[in-house]
Amino acid sequence: MKTNLLSVYRKYREVAYLHLKAQIAWRADVIFNMLFTISKILFAYLLWGMVFRQKSLVAGFTFHGMLSYYILSSFLSQLEMSNGISGEICARIRNGTFTNYMLLPLSAQGYFIAMEVGVVLFYLSFDFLAAVVWIFLFRIRFVFTSDPLIMACASGMVLLGLLFMVQLNFYLGILTLKYENIDTFLMIKSNLAALVTGTIVPLALFPETVVNLMRLLPFYYVTYLPSMLFTGRCQEEALPGLLVLAGWCLCLQLVIAFTWKSYRKKYDGVGI
């Protein structure tokens, strides 16, 4: 049993390693990814610099606290690079090449999870470097929690958030086995994620009723809450948030298993 588990681990590790190496061939993507991270932080610096000229506190944030939040949320949002999974699955189902994933000696979903691990590990250092450069360049008094339990919960939430987004994009991709067009599903997902993850505007600026509704959605726990926890805010939500996101991952996995079992029968390997 131990040998089998080790063999499976090595297969997934090899997939992650291959995709990590593959990113080296796309050096321009690395540059654009860093520039995008920098541009979001620069936008926040200019925007909130004007706002904080009139006020010393906005929704409990100081100027440096707000920038710390944006640096963290930008860093975490750039790490989430699973959007292409749904598009790749959709394209391969339509042109009949999705069979390649079904014949691998590992699960199709596991393959894409391992692929995401390799991509994230590659971009991790570059996104971190971009964030650190801004901290020193603008002399930001970076706000970060010193509570080890909060840091552990936030880190766990980040990992679960990355897993959830891979699960979600995989699920939306395999819907192509049944539906002719999944663009509507992708649009709804993208719009919800852009708003509820808090990468555009911190959710703390919204009315409490709206924030309570957003807490019902998993996207709230993917980027926004971990960023708040790392900056020392919303600490009472740390453990409940971790459990809620774990519950979403478990429920979505059950939905994926049911959908995959039902819809894969519709795939004949020659395209749709």
Side-chain angles (χ1 to χ4, degrees):
M1 183 67 174
K2 185 176 180 180
T3 304
N4 290 337
L5 289 175
L6 184 60
S7 175
V8 171
Y9 165 74
R10 286 173 176 168
K11 291 175 183 176
Y12 286 116
R13 183 187 64 183
E14 187 64 22
V15 171
Y17 180 61
L18 287 173
H19 281 279
L20 188 154
K21 291 197 301 182
Q23 304 310 306
I24 300 174
W26 308 101
R27 290 185 290 273
D29 286 358
V30 177
I31 296 173
F32 285 122
N33 189 70
M34 292 183 67
L35 289 176
F36 190 57
T37 303
I38 290 171
S39 65
K40 288 200 293 187
I41 300 173
L42 177 60
F43 173 77
Y45 182 86
L46 295 175
L47 173 64
W48 294 107
M50 292 186 291
V51 172
F52 278 96
R53 286 178 186 173
Q54 309 297 326
K55 300 179 180 180
S56 59
L57 283 176
V58 175
F61 285 97
T62 63
F63 176 62
H64 292 279
M66 182 66 79
L67 291 182
S68 299
Y69 166 82
Y70 267 96
I71 288 172
L72 284 166
S73 64
S74 297
F75 171 71
L76 295 179
S77 65
Q78 288 303 104
L79 282 184
E80 202 293 288
M81 305 186 73
S82 64
N83 285 331
I85 291 176
S86 51
E88 180 174 348
I89 293 175
C90 179
R92 287 187 174 273
I93 289 175
R94 293 195 178 284
N95 63 30
T97 58
F98 190 70
T99 308
N100 297 339
Y101 295 114
M102 300 175 74
L103 295 177
L104 290 172
L106 41 92
S107 74
Q109 183 186 358
Y111 175 90
F112 284 104
I113 291 175
M115 179 186 77
E116 179 72 359
V117 169
V119 174
V120 167
L121 288 176
F122 178 81
Y123 280 97
L124 179 64
S125 57
F126 295 102
D127 291 335
F128 180 77
L129 177 62
V132 170
V133 165
W134 277 102
I135 293 173
F136 286 99
L137 185 62
F138 287 96
R139 299 179 181 178
I140 298 170
R141 295 193 294 275
F142 193 65
V143 179
F144 198 82
T145 183
S146 59
D147 188 327
L149 178 60
I150 298 300
M151 284 191 285
C153 287
S155 299
M157 212 173 292
V158 169
L159 294 176
L160 284 175
L162 292 173
L163 172 61
F164 175 82
M165 293 306 295
V166 174
Q167 289 177 307
L168 180 59
N169 283 298
F170 179 80
Y171 173 71
L172 293 175
I174 62 175
L175 288 181
T176 310
L177 293 167
K178 180 176 177 63
Y179 299 99
E180 181 180 357
N181 193 330
I182 63 169
D183 289 346
T184 301
F185 300 120
L186 296 177
M187 181 184 67
I188 293 172
K189 183 265 297 185
S190 297
N191 290 336
L192 277 175
L195 177 63
V196 187
T197 53
T199 54
I200 300 175
V201 178
L203 301 186
L205 300 178
F206 287 78
E208 185 62 26
T209 304
V210 176
V211 176
N212 287 334
L213 289 174
M214 290 181 175
R215 287 192 180 99
L216 300 175
L217 300 173
F219 305 108
Y220 176 89
Y221 307 94
V222 171
T223 301
Y224 173 71
L225 187 55
S227 299
M228 294 291 277
L229 291 173
F230 279 129
T231 55
R233 298 168 64 90
C234 301
Q235 297 188 12
E236 70 282 357
E237 296 185 49
L239 287 174
L242 194 61
L243 293 175
V244 169
L245 187 53
W248 271 103
C249 289
L250 177 59
C251 290
L252 183 54
Q253 188 58 45
L254 294 175
V255 172
I256 289 172
F258 175 80
T259 304
W260 177 252
K261 183 178 180 180
S262 301
Y263 289 1
R264 67 179 299 177
K265 301 172 185 177
K266 302 177 182 295
Y267 180 71
D268 57 15
V270 295
I272 296 178

